Amino acid sequence: MDFSPLILTLQLATVTTVILLPLGIAMAYGLTYTTSRWKPVWEALVSMPLVLPPTVLGFYLLVAFSPNNGFGAFLDKYLGLKLVFTFEGLVLASVVYSLPFMVHPIQSGLNNLPHNLKEAAYLMGKSRTSTLFRVLLPNCKSSLLIGAVLAFAHTIGEFGVVLMIGGNLPGRTQVASMVIYDKVETMDYAGAHHYSLLLFAMTFTILVVVYVVNGGYFKRFSI
């Protein structure tokens, strides 16, 4: 059994989650406290990956970053950045596709905080940045954890988006979900079962750990 697709999958999920955490915090904060009339539009854009077919999103990312088009050619020529059929392209696609899974839990956590909490911090002389990181976020740690786990787990199971922009190149862009698809196509059901079972066990273990930590079971049974 070749473990390189599983390792690549874990690397992709880890890098995507690390990028999404600060990005998700910034976007959730902006969406929570903005008074702009365009707020529904921004929320709809953030939520689009939830309802848009992955192949559609992957296709437009492929077109946008292809070196045959203007923007992709600019990135390639002036920045030396190739995003089609590369790991960097997989990361970009995963960040876009998993964005709502990070933003929505954090936004929900901020919305559930008492409204006077932020105002009280301002009255005590704290800046907006200090209020966010020392007052608001510590009071919605569970939302941060849920967002990170959902983004990580969702990235592990991606197929359509990463296939469109990354292709299916062994050792470079071939993640575990693609290997499973290849195994099924060649009727190697035993091989598909091995990879599927490992992904199932990984995601199930992650979710159990989250529920245990988030539910405070260790504190509940400690002396």
Side-chain angles (χ1 to χ4, degrees), residues 12-157:
L12 177 62
T14 301
V15 173
T16 300
T17 304
V18 169
I19 294 174
L20 276 175
L21 187 57
L23 182 62
I25 290 173
M27 295 185 72
Y29 180 85
L31 290 173
T32 300
Y33 297 110
T34 184
T35 56
S36 171
R37 67 177 67 180
W38 297 101
K39 179 179 178 178
V41 176
W42 298 121
E43 288 183 322
L45 287 173
V46 171
S47 302
M48 281 294 287
L50 294 174
V51 296
L52 197 66
T55 49
V56 173
L57 181 59
F59 170 73
Y60 282 117
L61 289 174
L62 177 63
V63 170
F65 297 110
S66 171
N68 296 324
N69 290 320
F71 185 59
F74 171 82
L75 293 176
D76 188 10
K77 182 177 180 179
Y78 294 101
L79 301 178
L81 188 59
K82 300 180 185 294
L83 296 176
V84 176
F85 306 134
T86 63
F87 180 78
E88 291 78 11
L90 293 185
V91 171
L92 175 66
S94 299
V95 167
V96 173
Y97 193 48
S98 296
L99 182 63
F101 292 88
M102 179 69 77
V103 174
H104 286 173
I106 300 175
Q107 185 181 0
S108 177
L110 292 173
N111 278 324
N112 289 330
L113 294 178
H115 293 292
N116 58 1
L117 189 63
K118 182 163 65 80
E119 303 301 328
Y122 290 162
L123 289 174
M124 294 177 64
K126 294 186 178 296
S127 65
R128 290 192 175 187
T129 303
S130 179
T131 299
L132 174 63
F133 288 100
R134 296 192 176 187
V135 179
L136 300 180
L137 293 182
N139 282 282
C140 56
K141 290 185 291 186
S142 61
S143 298
L144 294 172
L145 178 62
I146 291 172
V149 169
L150 287 179
F152 186 90
H154 185 252
T155 304
I156 287 179

Side-chain angles (χ1 to χ4, degrees), residues 202-221:
M202 286 165 48
T203 52
F204 180 77
T205 302
I206 291 171
L207 290 175
V208 168
V209 170
V210 169
Y211 282 119
V212 168
V213 174
N214 207 28
Y217 291 101
F218 292 132
K219 294 180 181 179
R220 204 176 294 178
F221 294 104

